[in-house]
C-alpha cells in the first residue's frame, strides 16, 4: 500500500541539475494542454506524477507515471502507451540525466519498480535513442509490438481524393451508409466483441473502463459505423491521442455480411475522418494476437500504411 511517508513526499518538487537544467515533479497533474489524454484514475493506480526536465522554465523532456497501491509505477496503465517524450532534439546526455534523476527520485519515495511503455517513433522522433538509453540504464525489455502508420497530412488528403470515387461506387452498389462522429451509445461494443470472438480474435478491452474514459474525454473519441439497411455491419473506434494523430483502436466487421471490400471501406472512412480533422499521422495499431503476428491482418494494414515502428515496454526494479 502507499504509505503515509510516500503520500507526504508526493508534492511539487524541483531540483537543479548542473548549471541550467531543472527536474520538476508535479503531483496529480491535470490535463490542460490537450496534446495527450491523461490516463483516468483508478483504484489500482490512485496517484500520478509528471516529471519535467528543462531549462529557463521551458520543459524539454517529460514522463507521466501512475503509481499502484503496491508502490509500482507504470507509464501508463490502461493506455496504448505513456513513455518519455521530447518536444525537440535533446542530446543523449540530457536524456540519460533525466532517466537517472527519475529513478533516483522514485527510489527516494519508496517506489519498487518502474515500467515504461515507450511510444513508436512517429509520436516521439527520439524514441530509438530513448530506447537505447533505457537499455543502457538497466531496464529490461519486456514486450515489442509493431505499429503500422500512415504519415503525412498532405498524403492523407491526396489518398482520400484518389480513392473517393472508387469507394463511393462500392458504397452505392452495396447500399452502405457511413456514419462518423461522436459516440452516442455503447451498443457497438457488444457487436465488436461478438464479431471478433466469432473470428477467433483476441478481445482485450475492458468495457467499463473504456466507457469511463470516453465519458471523461468525449471530444477525443470517434465512432465510425457502416450499416446496410437497418443492420450494422462494421464499427471502428478511433482515438485522438495527440492533437495531430488518430489511433485505430478497436474495429470489427460482421462475419455474416456478404459485402465485398468491407474492410477497405472502413479504413477509407478512417482516412476521410483524418483528413477532416487535419491529422498528421494515422496509427493503425499492431497486428499481433497471443504474442504472435497475425500475418493476414498485417498484410491488410500494409496496403494503407507507409511506415512501421515498434512500441517497446521496459521494466526496471528499483533497488532500495
Amino acid at each position: 500500500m502507499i504509505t503515509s511517508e510516500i503520500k507526504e513526499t508526493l508534492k511539487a518538487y524541483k531540483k537543479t541539475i548542473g548549471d541550467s537544467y531543472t527536474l520538476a515533479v508535479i503531483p496529480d497533474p491535470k490535463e490542460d494542454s490537450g496534446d495527450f489524454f491523461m490516463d483516468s484514475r483508478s483504484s489500482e493506480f490512485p496517484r500520478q506524477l509528471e516529471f519535467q526536465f528543462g531549462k529557463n522554465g521551458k520543459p524539454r523532456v517529460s514522463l507521466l507515471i501512475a503509481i499502484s497501491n503496491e508502490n509500482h509505477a507504470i507509464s501508463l496503465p490502461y493506455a496504448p502507451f505513456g513513455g518519455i517524450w521530447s518536444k525537440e532534439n535533446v542530446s543523449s546526455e540530457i536524456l540519460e540525466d533525466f532517466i537517472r534523476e527519475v529513478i533516483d527520485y522514485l527510489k527516494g519515495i519508496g517506489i519498487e519498480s518502474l515500467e515504461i511503455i515507450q511510444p513508436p517513433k512517429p509520436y516521439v522522433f527520439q524514441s530509438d535513442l530513448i530506447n537505447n538509453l533505457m537499455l543502457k540504464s538497466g531496464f529490461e525489455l519486456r514486450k515489442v509490438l509493431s505499429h503500422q502508420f500512415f504519415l503525412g497530412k498532405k498524403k492523407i488528403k491526396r489518398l482520400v481524393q484518389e480513392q473517393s470515387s472508387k469507394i463511393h461506387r462500392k458504397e452505392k452498389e452495396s447500399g452502405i451508409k457511413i456514419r462518423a462522429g461522436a459516440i452516442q451509445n455503447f451498443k457497438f461494443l457488444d457487436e465488436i466483441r461478438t464479431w471478433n470472438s466469432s473470428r477467433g480474435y483476441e478481445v482485450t478491452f475492458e468495457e467499463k473502463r473504456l466507457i469511463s474514459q470516453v465519458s471523461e474525454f468525449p471530444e477525443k473519441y470517434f465512432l465510425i459505423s457502416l450499416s446496410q439497411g437497418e443492420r450494422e455491419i462494421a464499427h471502428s473506434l478511433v482515438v485522438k491521442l495527440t492533437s495531430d494523430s488518430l489511433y485505430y483502436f478497436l474495429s470489427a466487421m460482421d462475419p455474416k455480411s456478404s459485402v465485398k471490400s468491407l474492410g477497405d471501406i472502413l479504413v477509407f472512412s478512417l482516412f476521410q475522418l483524418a483528413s477532416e480533422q487535419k491529422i498528421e499521422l494515422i496509427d493503425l495499431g499492431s497486428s499481433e494476437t497471443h504474442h504472435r503476428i497475425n500475418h493476414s491482418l498485417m498484410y491488410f494494414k500494409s496496403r494503407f500504411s507507409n511506415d512501421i515502428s515498434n512500441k517497446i515496454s521496459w521494466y526496471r526494479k528499483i533497488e532500495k
Side-chain angles (χ1 to χ4, degrees), residues 190-206:
D190 290 333
E191 292 172 327
I192 285 179
R193 188 185 300 276
T194 300
W195 296 340
N196 280 342
S197 294
S198 67
R199 292 177 181 270
Y201 294 164
E202 184 178 16
V203 180
T204 58
F205 68 88
E206 296 181 38

Side-chain angles (χ1 to χ4, degrees), residues 168-222:
H168 289 324
R169 185 169 62 251
K170 289 182 179 179
E171 292 175 43
K172 187 174 181 180
E173 291 172 353
S174 304
I176 290 177
K177 290 185 179 180
I178 300 174
R179 298 190 310 278
I183 297 172
Q184 304 299 324
N185 61 69
F186 295 93
K187 176 187 174 184
F188 71 95
L189 289 177
D190 290 333
E191 292 172 327
I192 285 179
R193 188 185 300 276
T194 300
W195 296 340
N196 280 342
S197 294
S198 67
R199 292 177 181 270
Y201 294 164
E202 184 178 16
V203 180
T204 58
F205 68 88
E206 296 181 38
E207 187 168 325
K208 288 184 179 179
R209 191 176 304 281
L210 181 57
I211 291 174
S212 174
Q213 286 185 322
V214 173
S215 301
E216 192 172 355
F217 307 109
E219 74 283 0
K220 297 188 178 183
Y221 285 83
F222 301 87

Side-chain angles (χ1 to χ4, degrees), residues 145-156:
L145 292 175
S146 291
H147 280 224
Q148 288 167 272
F149 293 87
F150 194 93
L151 308 178
K153 186 186 301 184
K154 292 182 179 179
K155 291 180 180 179
I156 291 171

Side-chain angles (χ1 to χ4, degrees), residues 1 4-5 21 86 114 119 127 167 178 184 232 249 300 306:
M1 300 293 289
S4 58
E5 289 80 4
Y21 275 81
S86 56
L114 172 61
S127 267
I167 295 297
I178 300 174
Q184 304 299 324
E232 304 283 0
F249 178 43
F300 171 77
N306 58 12

